[in-house]
Amino acid sequence: MGEIKSTLDLVMERTKHLSMTDSEKEQQKTASRRQYLQGLIQKFEDQAMTFNQVAKALMQYESEDSGDVISSLKSELLSRIHLTADNNALFTLLENICHVDTAKIQKILSAFQTSLEQLNTSQTAAALETLATANRISGSAVVPNLPRDETWQAKHRELVVSYESKMADCLTDR
Protein backbone atom coordinates (compact mmCIF):
# COMPACT_ATOMS: atom_id res chain seq x y z
CA MET A 1 0.00 0.00 0.00
CA GLY A 2 1.28 3.47 -0.91
CA GLU A 3 2.13 6.27 1.46
CA ILE A 4 -0.43 9.07 1.85
CA LYS A 5 1.16 12.51 1.47
CA SER A 6 -0.18 15.82 2.70
CA THR A 7 -0.77 18.72 0.37
CA LEU A 8 2.22 20.51 1.85
CA ASP A 9 4.44 17.49 1.19
CA LEU A 10 3.26 17.39 -2.43
CA VAL A 11 3.89 21.11 -2.92
CA MET A 12 7.34 20.93 -1.34
CA GLU A 13 8.25 17.92 -3.45
CA ARG A 14 7.21 19.63 -6.70
CA THR A 15 8.90 22.95 -5.93
CA LYS A 16 12.18 21.80 -4.38
CA HIS A 17 14.10 22.51 -7.57
CA LEU A 18 12.79 26.09 -7.85
CA SER A 19 14.78 29.02 -6.52
CA MET A 20 14.49 32.79 -6.77
CA THR A 21 16.99 34.86 -8.70
CA ASP A 22 18.69 37.80 -7.02
CA SER A 23 16.54 40.29 -8.93
CA GLU A 24 13.36 38.43 -7.90
CA LYS A 25 14.51 38.50 -4.28
CA GLU A 26 15.18 42.24 -4.54
CA GLN A 27 11.78 42.87 -6.15
CA GLN A 28 10.06 40.91 -3.41
CA LYS A 29 11.99 42.81 -0.73
CA THR A 30 11.10 46.17 -2.33
CA ALA A 31 7.43 45.19 -2.58
CA SER A 32 7.45 44.06 1.05
CA ARG A 33 9.08 47.34 2.16
CA ARG A 34 6.55 49.34 0.17
CA GLN A 35 3.62 47.48 1.72
CA TYR A 36 5.02 47.99 5.20
CA LEU A 37 5.49 51.73 4.62
CA GLN A 38 2.03 52.08 3.08
CA GLY A 39 0.58 50.46 6.19
CA LEU A 40 2.47 52.80 8.51
CA ILE A 41 1.42 55.86 6.53
CA GLN A 42 -2.20 54.75 6.47
CA LYS A 43 -2.20 54.11 10.22
CA PHE A 44 -0.76 57.58 10.80
CA GLU A 45 -3.32 59.20 8.49
CA ASP A 46 -6.11 57.31 10.27
CA GLN A 47 -4.66 58.43 13.62
CA ALA A 48 -4.25 54.80 14.68
CA MET A 49 -0.57 55.60 15.39
CA THR A 50 1.05 58.72 16.78
CA PHE A 51 4.06 60.39 15.18
CA ASN A 52 6.33 58.96 17.88
CA GLN A 53 5.02 55.44 17.27
CA VAL A 54 5.63 55.78 13.54
CA ALA A 55 9.14 57.13 14.11
CA LYS A 56 9.93 54.27 16.49
CA ALA A 57 8.54 51.67 14.08
CA LEU A 58 10.59 53.16 11.24
CA MET A 59 13.78 53.09 13.30
CA GLN A 60 13.19 49.45 14.16
CA TYR A 61 12.33 48.54 10.57
CA GLU A 62 15.36 50.44 9.27
CA SER A 63 17.64 48.37 11.52
CA GLU A 64 16.14 45.15 10.09
CA ASP A 65 16.03 46.23 6.43
CA SER A 66 19.24 46.78 4.48
CA GLY A 67 17.55 49.07 1.91
CA ASP A 68 17.09 52.82 2.02
CA VAL A 69 13.87 52.96 4.04
CA ILE A 70 13.76 56.77 4.32
CA SER A 71 14.11 57.21 0.56
CA SER A 72 11.33 54.67 0.01
CA LEU A 73 9.18 56.45 2.60
CA LYS A 74 9.78 59.78 0.90
CA SER A 75 8.75 58.36 -2.49
CA GLU A 76 5.62 56.79 -1.01
CA LEU A 77 4.64 60.00 0.78
CA LEU A 78 5.17 62.16 -2.31
CA SER A 79 3.07 59.79 -4.41
CA ARG A 80 0.16 60.17 -1.97
CA ILE A 81 -0.09 63.97 -2.15
CA HIS A 82 -3.27 65.05 -3.95
CA LEU A 83 -4.72 68.44 -4.77
CA THR A 84 -8.05 67.95 -3.04
CA ALA A 85 -6.98 65.75 -0.10
CA ASP A 86 -5.95 66.66 3.42
CA ASN A 87 -2.19 66.21 3.16
CA ASN A 88 -1.21 67.46 6.62
CA ALA A 89 -0.24 64.02 7.94
CA LEU A 90 1.92 63.44 4.88
CA PHE A 91 3.62 66.81 5.34
CA THR A 92 4.33 66.00 8.98
CA LEU A 93 6.15 62.81 8.02
CA LEU A 94 7.94 64.43 5.06
CA GLU A 95 9.21 67.34 7.14
CA ASN A 96 10.11 65.53 10.35
CA ILE A 97 11.35 62.15 9.16
CA CYS A 98 12.45 62.68 5.55
CA HIS A 99 13.61 66.28 6.16
CA VAL A 100 11.87 67.62 3.04
CA ASP A 101 10.89 71.28 2.84
CA THR A 102 7.23 71.17 1.83
CA ALA A 103 6.69 74.94 1.54
CA LYS A 104 6.69 74.88 -2.27
CA ILE A 105 4.20 72.02 -2.40
CA GLN A 106 1.94 73.66 0.17
CA LYS A 107 2.06 76.92 -1.80
CA ILE A 108 0.84 75.12 -4.93
CA LEU A 109 -1.95 73.41 -2.98
CA SER A 110 -3.00 76.71 -1.43
CA ALA A 111 -3.04 78.40 -4.83
CA PHE A 112 -5.18 75.57 -6.19
CA GLN A 113 -7.70 75.97 -3.35
CA THR A 114 -7.85 79.73 -3.97
CA SER A 115 -8.34 79.22 -7.73
CA LEU A 116 -11.01 76.60 -7.09
CA GLU A 117 -12.89 78.94 -4.75
CA GLN A 118 -12.71 81.73 -7.36
CA LEU A 119 -13.97 79.35 -10.05
CA ASN A 120 -16.85 78.20 -7.86
CA THR A 121 -17.80 81.77 -6.97
CA SER A 122 -17.74 83.01 -10.57
CA GLN A 123 -19.58 79.96 -11.92
CA THR A 124 -22.22 80.17 -9.17
CA ALA A 125 -22.86 83.81 -10.05
CA ALA A 126 -23.06 82.97 -13.76
CA ALA A 127 -25.42 80.05 -13.13
CA LEU A 128 -27.66 82.18 -10.91
CA GLU A 129 -27.76 84.87 -13.61
CA THR A 130 -28.66 82.31 -16.26
CA LEU A 131 -31.39 80.82 -14.10
CA ALA A 132 -32.80 84.27 -13.37
CA THR A 133 -32.81 85.55 -16.95
CA ALA A 134 -33.49 82.43 -19.01
CA ASN A 135 -35.78 80.50 -16.68
CA ARG A 136 -37.05 83.25 -14.36
CA ILE A 137 -35.86 81.28 -11.35
CA SER A 138 -34.39 83.38 -8.56
CA GLY A 139 -34.36 83.81 -4.83
CA SER A 140 -32.31 82.99 -1.79
CA ALA A 141 -33.23 79.29 -1.91
CA VAL A 142 -31.80 78.78 -5.40
CA VAL A 143 -28.48 76.94 -5.29
CA PRO A 144 -26.87 75.95 -8.59
CA ASN A 145 -25.58 72.40 -8.92
CA LEU A 146 -22.10 73.23 -10.24
CA PRO A 147 -20.87 69.65 -10.79
CA ARG A 148 -23.68 69.17 -13.33
CA ASP A 149 -22.83 72.37 -15.21
CA GLU A 150 -20.79 71.53 -18.33
CA THR A 151 -18.99 74.88 -18.29
CA TRP A 152 -17.93 74.36 -14.67
CA GLN A 153 -16.84 70.79 -15.45
CA ALA A 154 -14.63 71.93 -18.31
CA LYS A 155 -13.07 74.79 -16.34
CA HIS A 156 -12.61 72.54 -13.30
CA ARG A 157 -10.85 69.92 -15.45
CA GLU A 158 -8.55 72.58 -16.91
CA LEU A 159 -7.75 73.87 -13.42
CA VAL A 160 -7.00 70.39 -12.08
CA VAL A 161 -4.79 69.50 -15.06
CA SER A 162 -2.90 72.77 -14.72
CA TYR A 163 -2.20 72.32 -11.02
CA GLU A 164 -1.44 68.60 -11.35
CA SER A 165 1.23 69.60 -13.87
CA LYS A 166 2.64 72.15 -11.43
CA MET A 167 2.62 69.53 -8.65
CA ALA A 168 4.35 66.98 -10.88
CA ASP A 169 7.07 69.50 -11.75
CA CYS A 170 7.51 70.37 -8.07
CA LEU A 171 7.61 66.72 -6.95
CA THR A 172 10.14 65.67 -9.60
CA ASP A 173 12.52 68.33 -8.25
CA ARG A 174 12.64 66.49 -4.92
Side-chain angles (χ1 to χ4, degrees), residues 101-109 167 169-170 173-174:
D101 182 15
T102 61
K104 224 175 171 181
I105 300 168
Q106 290 184 29
K107 186 176 178 181
I108 292 171
L109 293 174
M167 282 292 292
D169 291 344
C170 181
D173 293 344
R174 307 249 163 242

Side-chain angles (χ1 to χ4, degrees), residues 123-124 127-128 131 137-147:
Q123 287 304 119
T124 298
L128 287 172
L131 286 170
I137 300 173
S138 63
S140 61
V142 177
V143 179
N145 187 354
L146 290 180

Side-chain angles (χ1 to χ4, degrees), residues 7 17 37 42-43 69 75 93 106 109 118 133 145 148:
T7 304
H17 67 282
L37 294 175
Q42 191 61 52
K43 287 177 185 177
V69 175
S75 297
L93 294 176
Q106 290 184 29
L109 293 174
Q118 290 171 349
T133 57
N145 187 354
R148 291 203 52 190

Side-chain angles (χ1 to χ4, degrees), residues 44 48 67 91 102 106 113 115 122 130 144-145 154 170:
F44 185 66
F91 291 144
T102 61
Q106 290 184 29
Q113 289 301 323
S115 297
S122 68
T130 301
N145 187 354
C170 181

Side-chain angles (χ1 to χ4, degrees), residues 24-34 61 64-67:
E24 289 173 330
K25 288 178 187 176
E26 188 60 37
Q27 287 175 344
Q28 185 178 20
K29 190 175 181 180
T30 301
S32 175
R33 180 184 313 124
R34 187 167 186 239
Y61 187 72
E64 298 167 4
D65 190 323
S66 61

Side-chain angles (χ1 to χ4, degrees), residues 38-105:
Q38 287 174 340
L40 274 182
I41 294 167
Q42 191 61 52
K43 287 177 185 177
F44 185 66
E45 284 184 312
D46 294 342
Q47 297 179 348
M49 289 180 83
T50 65
F51 175 79
N52 291 336
Q53 290 171 324
V54 171
K56 185 177 179 182
L58 280 170
M59 285 176 47
Q60 183 177 359
Y61 187 72
E62 201 171 21
S63 67
E64 298 167 4
D65 190 323
S66 61
D68 190 0
V69 175
I70 300 301
S71 178
S72 298
L73 176 66
K74 177 181 166 185
S75 297
E76 191 60 40
L77 289 167
L78 291 174
S79 72
R80 286 175 168 243
I81 295 174
H82 295 288
L83 290 172
T84 56
D86 178 12
N87 298 298
N88 290 329
L90 303 176
F91 291 144
T92 299
L93 294 176
L94 276 168
E95 291 170 349
N96 297 312
I97 294 178
C98 301
H99 307 292
V100 173
D101 182 15
T102 61
K104 224 175 171 181
I105 300 168

